[in-house]
Amino acid sequence: MKVMNGLKAFALVSALGVLSAPQSLGAAEKLSMSNAPESALTNELSVLFAQEREAMTSAGAQTVAEILANYRPKSKPTPPVAVEYTKPYLAQLPKASGGEAWACLSEALYFEARGESVKGQFAVAEVILNRVSSPAFPDTVCGVVNQGTGKKYQCQFTYTCDGHAEAIHEPKAYTRVGKVARLMLDGAPRRLTEGATHYHTTAVNPRWARKFPRTAQIGVHFFYKMPRA
């Protein structure tokens, strides 16, 4: 067998403790708190290590291989991204960039919400990401944004199927929504729309809005959740 590094060895010892649990310690092996505690602790650790070595030795090669193959180091939890829904807050952030998901989300925010307040832009981003998280919609940002595109005015986000080219004429607005998209993709909290998956402007009144529970109004948008089946 190849020499295991320290982390894998520790994981192996821990896992093998399930396969070969240590036996009860004898009287001579129990830690005595009355005399020489350092020496007694050393003796107990020696006993434990001996039991672990025995467990490792008794485990077959196949068992060891399976344990190592399934070992995944525990990662530290990522702290939540803190945001402020203000233009000054966004202005002090560096210009954002990213891959395909970022490009699709930034584009959607530009065409759907660039005239909204910063809070309203975050709210629209929430809806898109809530859809990504829902089994009722595609599981990627670009899939959600482009769902139904192909037939005029039969898509989920009208700008993708209205027959007009998606041209960016306001670079400052695009830079701002790009920062919103970056923050949301990096884990900013979705706390504005209470899990909304739909929205529409106050200028229209779609039929589905009569059946969907409304969760919020932010700027010129109403936000809704899908009704429970």
Side-chain angles (χ1 to χ4, degrees):
M1 292 179 58
K2 296 181 179 180
V3 177
M4 297 178 293
N5 61 37
L7 283 175
K8 287 186 176 181
F10 179 80
L12 178 59
V13 167
S14 299
L16 287 175
V18 176
L19 300 174
S20 179
Q23 302 297 318
S24 299
L25 297 177
E29 297 167 344
K30 291 181 179 177
L31 177 62
S32 171
M33 299 304 294
S34 57
N35 296 305
E38 295 86 356
S39 176
L41 179 60
T42 300
N43 290 338
E44 179 160 333
L45 289 174
S46 297
V47 172
L48 291 175
F49 287 140
Q51 292 172 346
E52 289 169 352
R53 284 196 298 271
E54 182 180 355
M56 292 173 66
T57 302
S58 63
Q62 182 63 31
T63 300
V64 173
E66 290 177 0
I67 291 172
L68 294 181
N70 294 321
Y71 170 65
R72 297 292 184 272
K74 291 184 178 179
S75 58
K76 294 182 179 179
T78 304
V81 177
V83 300
E84 296 177 18
Y85 304 119
T86 66
K87 287 184 179 180
Y89 168 74
L90 290 179
Q92 55 87 33
L93 296 177
K95 187 174 182 179
S97 62
E100 186 178 35
W102 174 81
C104 286
L105 185 54
S106 298
E107 179 187 272
L109 294 178
Y110 178 83
F111 289 106
E112 291 284 312
R114 70 180 181 275
E116 273 279 18
S117 65
V118 171
K119 189 175 183 180
Q121 292 166 0
F122 273 96
V124 171
E126 280 188 27
V127 168
I128 294 172
L129 294 183
N130 287 342
R131 287 192 173 197
V132 174
S133 300
S134 169
F137 298 93
D139 60 1
T140 66
V141 173
C142 294
V144 165
V145 169
N146 294 301
Q147 186 178 15
T149 301
K151 293 184 179 181
K152 196 169 184 179
Y153 299 123
Q154 295 186 30
C155 53
Q156 295 292 312
F157 294 88
T158 306
Y159 83 90
T160 68
C161 65
D162 60 4
H164 301 295
E166 284 78 60
I168 306 295
H169 296 300
E170 301 176 41
K172 288 185 178 180
Y174 183 75
T175 296
R176 185 180 301 118
V177 298
K179 294 178 181 181
V180 174
R182 183 72 274 159
L183 288 165
M184 291 301 294
L185 290 171
D186 287 345
R190 305 179 203 173
R191 60 190 175 203
L192 297 174
T193 66
E194 298 182 23
T197 53
H198 293 71
Y199 65 87
H200 67 78
T201 69
T202 55
V204 299
N205 186 25
R207 285 184 296 176
W208 57 260
R210 303 168 195 169
K211 301 178 181 178
F212 284 36
R214 184 186 295 179
T215 62
Q217 178 181 359
I218 300 174
V220 298
H221 284 117
F222 290 127
F223 295 86
Y224 301 82
K225 280 184 178 180
M226 292 180 66
R228 294 182 178 179

